[in-house]
Amino acid sequence: GIPKDQREQALRPFTKGKQEGAGRYGGIGLGLSIASDILAMHQGRLELDESMLGGLRVRLRLPIQNN
């Protein structure tokens, strides 16, 4: 997972976590940032919190749209 104090930073472009084992995974640190920006354009948000099984849980929240 990502420690609480680093979660906001993890949503910034080109930021990879500093937690143990972060170097084992590929990527350049854009995935969470892009997802967060897309959700924001749709009045949604991306939430990071602890998983009950350990690690990180990513929640994608979008508003209900009534047509």
Side-chain angles (χ1 to χ4, degrees):
I2 300 174
K4 267 188 177 180
D5 63 332
Q6 294 178 21
R7 290 181 188 157
E8 191 67 33
Q9 180 181 348
L11 298 177
R12 294 187 197 135
F14 304 108
T15 303
K16 293 185 78 170
K18 294 175 177 62
Q19 68 276 13
E20 182 179 329
R24 295 184 302 183
Y25 305 105
I28 57 173
L30 282 176
L32 290 175
S33 173
I34 291 170
S36 181
D37 288 348
I38 291 170
L39 286 162
M41 286 189 291
H42 295 281
Q43 289 77 46
R45 66 183 187 272
L46 188 143
E47 298 175 354
L48 305 175
D49 58 19
E50 311 229 357
S51 169
M52 293 185 337
L53 302 175
L56 182 72
R57 176 172 50 186
V58 179
R59 292 182 187 188
L60 310 176
R61 303 243 185 214
L62 290 168
I64 295 174
Q65 186 172 6
N66 296 320
N67 290 330

